[in-house]
Amino acid sequence: MDMQSVWQWFVAPLQYEFMVKAVVVSAMVGLVCAVLSCYMTLKGWALMGDAVSHAVMPGVVLAYILNIPFAIGAFVFGLSSVLAIGFIKSKTRIKEDTVIGLVFTGFFALGLVLVSKSPSNIDLQHILFGNVLGIPDRDIVQTAIVSLITLAIILVLRKDLLLFCFDPTHARSIGLNVTALNYTFLTLLSLTIVAALQTVGIILVVAMLVTPGAVGYLLSDRFDHMTWIAIASGVFSSVVGTYISYHIDGSTGGCIVVLQTLLFVIAMIFAPKHGLLVRSSKRLNESP
Amino acid sequence: MKSISIDVENLTVAYNGKVALHEATVQLSSSSISGLVGMNGSGKSTLFKAIMGFITPRSGRVLINGLPVRHVQKQSLIAYVPQSEEVDWNFPVSVSDVVMMGRYGYMNLLRIPRTRDRRIVAESLARVQMTEFKDRQIGELSGGQKKRAFLARALAQQGKILLLDEPFTGVDVKTEKAMVDLLIELRDQGHTILISTHDLASIETFCDQVVLVNKTILAYGSTADVFTEENLTRTFGGVMPHQLRKQN
């Protein structure tokens, strides 16, 4: 493939307005998700991410039925699921992973019932798998607002969030409000999921929330570097994945997440310090 | 007459209805090193957590320099050095990042370090001889270096009260000696130090006071008065580690 055809591959689709919008939105979503994913992987909250993303389903459906912004419906239900998980965990003897599994399937099932009985014509496919190539303008605005708010909060609280992930005991001992940080983090998670819904859909959001962070974590021992690597891999796979889906006429969310997973596999094998190749050669050197 | 830094009065702590500490009372004077001795599960960690204000007691109270713990935390007055097992050593932070976390309580919301913070971090690293390792990721340190890194964070926090949970486990003799010297130096500068340890043999060499724990505070006071064969037998319920005593 020469330079000319690479150029054409990227530029030709941009003659369509829907493609310009899709590329901009997916880049933005890739960025927000990548930043949050660094904290998610370090905190070990993948299951929580999966839970919240499924739990927003009834909120999205109700928003369509009531004709209010989808972001508001999704956010309300995302946050409710988090509060419900926290409440059940603290008030009963049931273990956290059971509570998470129980709450998110309950919310998701409610969403399914609502879709099936909804008078308006809601495309379940779009909610589950995203629809960035057909994203309406008002949804772009909502996604942009939510993304900006999320990024701003993370930027201000990044040191506190990192300390919360690393050593909540120390955070408490210097007088930080760890409970507030916990709920702020969960709110950020809900917001990020809302932002990513239109691009990859409910089912695949969790990939956006952990994979870039995992790539960064394998490639660096410094949190700053980890974040930049996560952003680079997140934005790259979002944008290039959108292009691939255009060219092969395939699922956009699917293409983005497959590409992201490929980046992870490459990092896992070839990472200079924590990669499988280096690890196995180290083991060979150590053995007599 | 020294003033009282840590004042625990009739403290009862229970988890899910199970009592971990029963009516514990202990007073630790300022500018002292106190050794906290007891078996695993005797309530040492619970006592630490209660002093740090992490758990709400069923009854009784904890005062630090005469104030409730919440006030004291806001002033970064108590520094806590956790057990190594509680730390995620793969976390992507360097030694100096960790020590800088000791300064967060003094910074504004964005936690942007100022010249003074950087200077104090550098000094704290130097005091525990960790300057050359400051850019290492924390998992790349030896057992002793890990302990020293967290001790440096406690120093950077500039709290007058230090709680150290098993700081000598997995530490070589040379490092332990250097850490003890540093603790003595800190005590002489007015710090109050509470340190839990399984190394009974070393207690008499640097602890001014001893606190014996077994579901309650069995005894506390000067090492000479309290650190007796009889008290230790009560502390360990008759299964005294004799070989340790013989080393004295």
Side-chain angles (χ1 to χ4, degrees):
Chain A
M1 206 151 77
D2 56 75
M3 282 311 290
Q4 184 68 26
S5 53
V6 172
W7 177 250
Q8 274 303 314
W9 195 83
F10 278 105
V11 172
L14 295 180
Q15 62 187 297
Y16 303 108
E17 201 190 322
F18 77 85
M19 194 54 192
V20 176
K21 287 178 188 167
V23 168
V24 171
V25 170
S26 54
M28 193 161 63
V29 167
L31 171 71
V32 181
C33 288
V35 173
L36 194 77
S37 74
C38 293
Y39 300 92
M40 292 288 290
T41 44
L42 291 176
K43 188 75 188 164
W45 270 7
L47 184 59
M48 197 62 153
D50 206 18
V52 177
S53 61
H54 282 76
V56 302
M57 170 95 162
V60 176
V61 180
L62 277 177
Y64 278 115
I65 295 173
L66 302 173
N67 203 21
I68 54 172
F70 85 92
I72 293 175
F75 180 66
V76 167
F77 275 81
L79 210 56
S80 313
S81 71
V82 163
L83 294 174
I85 289 167
F87 178 81
I88 298 173
K89 199 182 78 179
S90 63
K91 298 288 177 195
T92 70
R93 49 183 288 179
I94 300 170
K95 289 194 181 122
E96 183 172 30
D97 61 334
T98 309
V99 177
I100 292 176
L102 188 151
V103 169
F104 90 72
T105 46
F107 274 70
F108 188 70
L110 176 65
L112 282 180
V113 173
L114 284 174
V115 171
S116 64
K117 298 311 287 177
S118 151
S120 54
N121 191 17
I122 299 171
D123 196 334
L124 181 62
Q125 199 77 6
H126 287 173
I127 298 177
L128 294 184
F129 302 110
N131 177 34
V132 76
L133 293 178
I135 187 169
D137 283 351
R138 60 184 164 88
D139 289 2
I140 297 178
V141 173
Q142 290 176 40
T143 305
I145 292 172
V146 172
S147 301
L148 277 176
I149 294 173
T150 312
L151 279 178
I153 299 175
I154 298 177
L155 195 64
V156 171
L157 291 179
R158 64 188 199 285
K159 296 272 180 75
D160 288 23
L161 287 172
L162 191 66
L163 179 55
F164 170 67
C165 294
F166 176 58
D167 191 351
T169 307
H170 177 69
R172 279 176 85 167
S173 77
I174 57 171
L176 298 189
N177 188 337
V178 175
T179 311
L181 276 175
N182 184 54
Y183 280 101
T184 307
F185 194 161
L186 289 168
T187 306
L188 289 169
L189 175 60
S190 304
L191 286 170
T192 309
I193 286 167
V194 170
L197 271 189
Q198 296 280 353
T199 311
V200 289
I202 283 174
I203 309 287
L204 290 178
V205 162
V206 70
M208 307 282 286
L209 288 172
V210 293
T211 313
V215 172
Y217 185 55
L218 284 178
L219 291 175
S220 176
D221 278 333
R222 299 286 302 270
F223 185 73
D224 289 354
H225 298 170
M226 173 179 164
T227 310
W228 288 115
I229 294 167
I231 290 173
S233 78
V235 173
F236 173 84
S237 37
S238 291
V239 170
V240 177
T242 306
Y243 271 102
I244 293 174
S245 86
Y246 169 86
H247 284 292
I248 68 171
D249 194 20
S251 151
T252 315
C255 287
I256 291 172
V257 174
V258 166
L259 194 56
Q260 217 162 57
T261 312
L262 278 177
L263 290 182
F264 171 77
V265 172
I266 293 168
M268 180 178 74
I269 297 171
F270 297 106
K273 205 161 143 197
H274 305 295
L276 295 181
L277 284 182
V278 176
R279 288 201 162 192
S280 58
S281 71
K282 249 189 224 157
R283 221 171 290 135
L284 281 178
N285 290 341
E286 277 162 14
S287 59
Chain B
M1 179 67 195
K2 284 177 176 176
S3 60
I4 302 298
S5 265
I6 300 177
D7 186 0
V8 176
E9 267 180 42
N10 279 322
L11 189 79
T12 298
V13 178
Y15 301 107
N16 298 325
K18 215 176 157 213
V19 174
L21 262 185
H22 183 68
E23 297 191 349
T25 295
V26 60
Q27 291 183 326
L28 302 179
S29 50
S30 57
S31 303
S32 66
I33 301 177
S34 306
L36 183 61
V37 176
M39 288 186 292
N40 290 329
S42 60
K44 284 180 293 180
S45 297
T46 304
L47 184 63
F48 271 133
K49 284 178 194 159
I51 294 173
M52 298 295 296
F54 293 166
I55 40 182
T56 316
R58 182 184 280 182
S59 61
R61 64 172 186 175
V62 177
L63 293 178
I64 308 293
N65 291 348
L67 293 168
V69 190
R70 198 166 293 276
H71 291 258
V72 176
Q73 286 174 348
K74 294 274 182 212
Q75 299 161 26
S76 288
L77 203 65
I78 306 186
Y80 176 65
V81 179
Q83 287 190 34
S84 297
E85 300 83 67
E86 291 168 21
V87 178
D88 173 6
W89 295 107
N90 289 319
F91 209 88
V93 285
S94 68
V95 172
S96 57
D97 289 338
V98 169
V99 181
M100 190 59 88
M101 288 171 184
R103 301 297 304 161
Y104 280 13
Y106 297 95
M107 298 179 192
N108 61 19
L109 183 65
L110 291 171
R111 319 280 177 213
I112 296 169
R114 280 179 274 197
T115 319
R116 180 181 150 76
D117 298 311
R118 293 185 198 285
R119 197 192 70 228
I120 290 168
V121 167
E123 286 168 4
S124 305
L125 284 166
R127 280 187 89 171
V128 297
Q129 286 107 44
M130 284 291 287
T131 306
E132 60 176 308
F133 306 111
K134 68 183 168 63
D135 294 322
R136 287 251 184 114
Q137 192 266 333
I138 51 168
E140 294 167 352
L141 302 173
S142 70
Q145 291 164 346
K146 286 173 175 170
K147 297 284 186 187
R148 274 146 63 197
F150 277 81
L151 188 57
R153 181 176 76 178
L155 295 180
Q157 196 181 323
Q158 295 186 317
K160 278 293 178 195
I161 296 166
L162 291 179
L163 306 185
L164 297 93
D165 203 351
E166 300 287 350
F168 301 135
T169 34
V171 167
D172 59 274
V173 180
K174 199 174 136 238
T175 308
E176 178 170 341
K177 171 87 174 57
M179 284 172 75
V180 166
D181 288 345
L182 179 62
L183 294 180
I184 291 171
E185 196 183 311
L186 288 166
R187 176 199 63 197
D188 294 343
Q189 290 167 355
H191 288 75
T192 307
I193 299 163
L194 179 62
I195 176 170
S196 75
T197 176
H198 282 295
D199 185 2
L200 299 184
S202 71
I203 286 204
E204 280 163 311
T205 63
F206 71 97
C207 292
D208 311 304
Q209 306 178 89
V210 175
V211 181
L212 302 177
V213 191
N214 191 358
K215 300 289 175 193
T216 183
I217 307 281
L218 293 174
Y220 69 93
S222 74
T223 306
D225 295 342
V226 175
F227 201 62
T228 61
E229 188 83 41
E230 192 202 336
N231 275 340
L232 284 170
T233 308
R234 280 167 66 209
T235 308
F236 291 95
V239 285
M240 247 285 291
H242 282 285
Q243 71 281 17
L244 283 170
R245 288 292 292 166
K246 276 180 205 147
Q247 289 170 10
N248 291 338

